[in-house]
Amino acid sequence: MAPTGPLPGQAVAAPGRDPEWWLRPLKWVGLIVWLAIPVFTYFHIHRPWPAHVIWSVIIAGLPLFIVLVGYHRWRRICPLAFFSQIPVYLRRPGTRRASPWLEEHYYYFLFSFFALGLWLRLTIINGVGEALAVFFVLISALALICGALFTGKTWCNYICPISLIEKINTEPHGLRETPNSQCVKCTACKKSCPDINEENGYWKEIHLRSKRFAYFAFPGLVFAFFLYFYLQAGTWDYYFLGGWADQPRLIYRAFIPDDHPMSFGFFFLPETPRWLAALLTLAAGALASFLLLSKLEPSVGRWLRRQQPEADEAQVRHLMFTMAAFVAFINFYAFAGQPLLRLDPQGAPWLRTLGLDPRAVPWLGMLPGILASVVGTLFLARRFGRTQKTFAEETVAQNIIKRWEWQDMRPPRDLREALLIHTARSSERKTGYAQVLEVYKEAVRVTLAAGFVTREEVQRLESLRNQLQIKKADHEKIMATLAEEERALLDPATRPSAEKVLQLETYRRALEQHLKLVLAADGAVDPRFIQQLQREFNVTDGEHAAQLDALLGGTQGMAMRVAEELREVVRAGLMITALEAEPSPVHDFLVHLLQRKRARAGDRLVRILQFDSESDGARMVRDWLGGNDPTVQEAVFQALRAKVTPALGERLLSVRQEAVAEDAALRLVEKLRVHTESTDPYVRASALYALAERGEVDLDLLHRLTRDEHELVRETLQGLMERMRTRPDTRRDRPPLTRLEKMIALRSVPWFASLEPESLAELARSSDEVTYAPGDVLAREGEPGDEAFIVLDGEVLVSHKVSADEEKVIDTNRPGAVIGELAVLDPAPRSATLRAAAEGARVLRIDGAAFREALHADPAVANGVIRTLAQRMRGLIRQVGG
């Protein structure tokens, strides 16, 4: 029992080199050839060999190539499919959908467009370079326009004439299994999409009247096309010797009766216009084939039912389709390519250019027919005995093999062998039968959910149940249980199609990737991305809400990540309240960091829930995450729950309640330990420092943070350990400030209070801690300088010369003051002398470039400098006035 082809999701290869890697370069080669054809023909208008290359090589070899390479591979490399997907690549895809009427009758369109192409070749584009170039340009433009107007692969599925060739020559499945060709961004543009599962689409459409017409009429259409060459010229030499390839003025004669041989419609009725004669021939051939196969179908049905009493109408129709496809394929290759392989020197001059004597290779002309016969026979044998029941059985079996549990043996490719092994292995154990039932139940559930197989078809899978040795009664129990679990399965009208399931699955994956980006991003994420994503996947607002609810309302995957994010935010709010009750420089700094974390999380949640940034929902999210009053928070949260789906609201509520309960059971020290595991390195370092102030740093914490990924955390830990080893007795003996301590000191200055921790870290990195003895000069009046100073301990006097030997103290700066900034802002010499007071001073000396960078980074710093300078100016005015 061979597998039927990959199910949705199986198109992605396992990690490692993609076994289908060669399709991408082949796709670009095909596209280059397609683009070269109109140029090639246009610049060789009056030569016959371009037409030979195009019609007798490229186009003639296309059906054989599709059969050999496989349906799905061809769909991934088709040049016309590329043109139809250009709007998708440009992120401007069409959004219109094919109507139900078109879905029912689209085979008439495929057949008509294909017949139109044959008619155009017989009357206009056979050997006319300009017309052939225009034809290729127009059909490419039509594919592009269709892609810009309609969603998904509407062009490929409903309009493209090549689609008919693909289907007739490969359905229900190809010569070998290939990964499917489903779109990365599925928009469910077609029911029973062949790109997801070709055979599923075949069996679902096998009773369509339009499909029956196209299959039955196709062999006659193909034969009539080649027959017309004889009917027009009265001899087969016109076709086989390639005379049709050298008629550059055919386009001017095909529509006007004339006495020129090119104008003759039929050799026996030359007065009939060629365009009309070609049209009548094609129509007559298609109609004759349709009527003949329609008349034959009842007889074939009676014969088949005598051979297989259980055969149904679908099996009879499948047998007729198989016969029609085989006849058309063999018929086509009895003619296609022959003009280039005929042995007459005039018909095959290219052989002589290769140094070959046509008479020395008499077998060459038979090659296409031999190859077509072999391939056609193989394909006939592969599809002849195929049944819808076999497809359903294999689909369920594939889901069983997905759950292969024998680690000592890889699941075999042959599903029948795999089932036998699975049954034998399971029977070795006491609980084997129960496990087989569970595997069978899960496989049936997945298969029904995918939409490839109906409940009625599952009921008829006696062969599969016999291989698994499942009793009919147990099977009935399983089906009843599944019906209770998923009542939607009982109503086909409410059960989503396989295409809708794939569309929403692929959309959910893309949405999940976007939400991961939102969670990981601290900066802005384009709020229009979701609307664009919905257009690309053709997903409604209701479907988007359902997928968002599925991602965030559960307990796994994305829901778990969002829940953890919310849990950390709630903890941060509770931690802020606890820290504010015990104020200190490090606590104030940690509060600032947690407020930033909470605000960013609020913005992320606003984007995740798809609230407009200025809407009531966004305001509620921020109020809920930013407030500390429990009563107000509860009221805001209840209002927020009304804005989201019930499942998501319950999820948010449970996360909040869990976080509050967990926090209530912890002391402040324990809460600080929790925050040493924060994703924010500045929070980790600050929590570590706060614990060290309390003497609560243990060996486990030291061991864990020693390997921390962020330099600031490791540096803070090293500084604390150094301080514990030296235990300085005086302030003068203490080790230098760590970068974190510098950041805390900088933030205590009102100028720098609004700086982000990253900017504070950069400023701290560009500063030095310097201790001055009483009377030491920090900066001297009249000398150039490019440093500013922040007083940490002691006092710094600001003095101004009143004479050559006398200075007047004009200001005294205490801890927290910033001095010397004027020389940094203005390159003029310093206007005053800075000197340590009687007890000395300890300062942070800040590099001028870093100071100016901070000034430009945050307007609040510039405002603080302006206010300080204004205050000093007012002080000087008062002194002068006094």
Side-chain angles (χ1 to χ4, degrees), residues 682 710-711 715 739 742-743 746 758-768 850:
Y682 301 103
H710 201 277
E711 179 186 8
E715 181 187 305
R739 192 177 356 151
K742 292 179 183 180
M743 292 170 64
L746 287 166
E758 292 80 7
S759 298
L760 284 174
E762 189 60 34
L763 199 58
R765 187 181 289 110
S766 302
S767 65
D768 298 316

Side-chain angles (χ1 to χ4, degrees), residues 11 23 100 123 142 169 198 331 339 368 400 420 439 488 505 554 558 573 592 632 735 765:
L23 285 181
T123 56
L142 284 175
N169 288 307
E198 183 187 18
N331 189 9
I400 291 175
L420 292 175
V439 169
E505 282 183 355
M558 200 69 222
H592 170 67
V632 175
R765 187 181 289 110

